[in-house]
């Protein structure tokens, strides 16, 4: 496998999402836990629901050395904010996702037999968790977030929140073809002498 194939996905050892796995070695069965808080501002569906400015993701992971690479399992938890798609009220939700990802060793059978975008890979014994965690969180988020499943939304005429306006709320609508006649009758009621 050429080094050029994986050059674009190479993590740096200093990023908060990057974990050095050298202490695991390549002995199948060795493992260690990792707990880490990483900055995650903007993770989610931007403009809909996402991790707010200054937000973090809490990682609670187990790294296990296996024959083909390092298996990462565990959870990622965060708080996301957005607005209800029906009534536009702000909302906040806790999200926790389960993670299971194999990071293949260079030149392993898995590395040799899969396309670059089919599996994650180790580069210089480093794994970059960010793409996997971001994808898992995005897939866990609702594409149409609601403040409650039975949210009524907004009145299409006045823009008021239907839950606050009550069941008797309504607007009188006049067929536009009769609007001029209605205005004439309303005008005659105001000035009865003109009749």
């Amino acid at each position: 496998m050429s080094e050029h194939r994986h050059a674009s996905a190479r993590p740096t050892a200093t990023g908060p999402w990057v974990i050095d796995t050298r202490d695991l070695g390549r002995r199948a069965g060795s493992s260690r836990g990792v707990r880490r808080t990483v900055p995650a501002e903007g993770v989610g569906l931007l403009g809909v629901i996402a991790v707010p400015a200054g937000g973090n993701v809490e990682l609670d992971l187990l790294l296990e050395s296996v024959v083909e690479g390092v298996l990462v399992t565990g959870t990622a938890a965060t708080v996301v904010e957005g607005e209800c798609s029906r009534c536009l009220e702000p909302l906040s939700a806790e999200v926790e996702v389960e993670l299971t990802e194999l990071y293949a060793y260079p030149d392993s059978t898995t590395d040799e037999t899969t396309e670059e975008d089919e599996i994650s890979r180790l580069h210089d014994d480093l794994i970059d968790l960010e793409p996997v965690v971001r994808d898992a969180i995005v897939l866990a988020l609702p594409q149409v977030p609601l403040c409650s499943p039975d949210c009524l939304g907004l009145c299409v005429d006045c823009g008021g929140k239907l839950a606050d306006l009550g069941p008797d709320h309504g607007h009188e609508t006049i067929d536009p073809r009769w609007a001029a006649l209605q205005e004439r009758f309303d005008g005659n009621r105001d000035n009865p002498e003109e009749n």
Side-chain angles (χ1 to χ4, degrees), residues 163-177:
D164 297 340
L165 296 173
D168 297 332
H169 177 74
H171 297 275
E172 185 177 323
T173 57
I174 299 174
D175 187 320
R177 296 171 290 184

Side-chain angles (χ1 to χ4, degrees), residues 71-112:
L71 180 65
V72 177
T73 56
T75 60
T78 190
V79 174
V80 292
E81 294 178 356
E83 63 181 29
C84 177
S85 295
R86 291 185 188 156
C87 70
L88 307 180
E89 287 290 316
L91 58 86
S92 177
E94 293 182 12
V95 176
E96 183 173 291
V97 293
E98 297 284 332
L99 302 172
T100 302
E101 186 74 11
L102 174 66
Y103 288 82
Y105 291 129
D107 302 320
S108 65
T109 303
T110 301
D111 179 56
E112 296 288 338

Side-chain angles (χ1 to χ4, degrees), residues 17-110:
W17 292 92
V18 176
I19 297 177
D20 190 336
T21 65
R22 281 180 287 207
D23 60 332
L24 283 177
R26 289 201 176 190
R27 290 183 328 272
S30 59
S31 65
R32 73 173 164 102
V34 172
R35 295 189 85 147
R36 186 179 285 188
T37 301
V38 292
E41 179 178 326
V43 172
L45 304 170
L46 296 180
V48 179
I49 188 166
V51 177
N56 295 312
V57 171
E58 301 292 328
L59 300 173
D60 186 3
L61 307 171
L62 177 66
L63 278 59
E64 297 176 89
S65 181
V66 294
V67 173
E68 291 295 310
V70 175
L71 180 65
V72 177
T73 56
T75 60
T78 190
V79 174
V80 292
E81 294 178 356
E83 63 181 29
C84 177
S85 295
R86 291 185 188 156
C87 70
L88 307 180
E89 287 290 316
L91 58 86
S92 177
E94 293 182 12
V95 176
E96 183 173 291
V97 293
E98 297 284 332
L99 302 172
T100 302
E101 186 74 11
L102 174 66
Y103 288 82
Y105 291 129
D107 302 320
S108 65
T109 303
T110 301

Side-chain angles (χ1 to χ4, degrees), residues 86-88 153-162 165 169 171:
R86 291 185 188 156
C87 70
L88 307 180
L154 302 175
C155 173
V156 295
D157 293 317
C158 68
K161 188 173 177 182
L162 288 173
L165 296 173
H169 177 74
H171 297 275

